[in-house]
Amino acid sequence: MLGYVLAVDALALAVVGTSFIGLDVRTDDWIRFGALALGSAIHVEAGREIERLRQVVSEGSTYVNLKSMWMFAGVLILPPPLAVGVIAVSYAHAWIRLPRSPPHRGYFSASTVILGSAVATMCIRTINPDNQPGFAGGLVGLIAVAAAAMAYWLINLALVVGVVLLANPNANARKALGQLSDQFIVAGALGLGTSTAALLLYQPWLTAALLITVLGLHRALLVGQFQFAARTDPNTGLANAMFWHEIAAKELERSQNTNAPLGILYLDLDHFKAVNDTYGHLAGDQVLKAIAAELKHEVRTEDLVGRLGGEEFAILLPNTDIEDTLRTAERIRRRIAGLAVSVNTPAGTTFVDGFTCSIGAATYPNAGQSLDILLMAADTATYAAKESGRNRVVTAPSRTPGQLS
């Protein structure tokens, strides 16, 4: 890993050195450099509180943000040394104002962006050599910018994923790549960078309007991401217990208002501790992720699967009567029983199978009319399933009208 990092850093230094060859910087270039550096600084300040949390959350995977828009704009319209200057100013300011990671990490991140920018510049010069710095309009200009954006993104991503995997031998490539939504953020940043570059070239005063728009979108985007994270179990991607109960209460209220049935399943994996004891907790986490994926595939879009904790799951089935609730439970039980999961262990990759689960089913209004009563009924039925031999579905008994509430 050390050799990899030093090689990337050294190559970035070489790129910076060669960028001064044939340097021709005009007054307009300095003005645009100042505008991009200022825009980046304002951008960092506006989202500083949220970005602090995002850096912590993204530890062990790629960390992306909209700040690339300013750096990519510099690649398109500035001479290479000034484009590097925008990158340096942006990373230095972010390092000072956000949680201070070790300096070598910030330097490596900046180096990956410099190398991505260098390849992007080569793309523009090859496709549209008469308009760099800057870019032409029309189809040729579009192709040049698209190729530059793709190169900027791929080089940076590949270098960062490489060091993440080297630094965390137990990490998998999927986690290192981060969420698909992160890559949409990168794509949006590159598109905004192109718009910023065009405005600075042809309508510089309108850049202020773009900055206001970007700041508003950025904060809305990040708040949305954290709202999602606050209601999601980080290991499985399912709803967490708090969010599941919140939605269950709302769905029950809707069922009460419309006289529609509602089903609840409690699922507990049988003898799951043996998986952790035999293969390790990392393998256990991989199994839980696989089971979570199977549960989501077995239910409808309007259903909600949540992880209550450990190896316990809950499934909310709106507009589902007792017969359909039981059919869903049986499908899930059979699907888990036939599951084989590839896991990574200290001895290598192996397949784990033989899973079973105990499921308790409760439906509104048969088993109760309040959420607490329904949840207690489903939980009690799950224990009954375990007591009667496991790997089975048990239905909560129907209550008499006086017992329903």
Side-chain angles (χ1 to χ4, degrees), residues 23 56 165 169 261 333 388 396:
L23 178 62
V56 174
L165 293 176
R333 186 191 63 79
S388 58

Side-chain angles (χ1 to χ4, degrees), residues 152-207:
Y152 178 99
W153 171 64
L154 284 176
I155 296 297
N156 180 250
L157 179 65
L159 292 173
V160 171
V161 168
V163 78
V164 169
L165 293 176
L166 288 173
N168 302 277
N170 293 325
N172 55 56
R174 188 170 186 176
K175 180 181 178 182
L177 285 169
Q179 301 293 325
L180 179 61
S181 59
D182 291 339
Q183 304 313 316
F184 282 118
I185 293 176
V186 175
L190 297 177
L192 288 169
T194 304
S195 301
T196 303
L199 285 178
L200 283 174
L201 282 177
Y202 306 114
Q203 294 289 339
W205 289 106
L206 290 180
T207 308

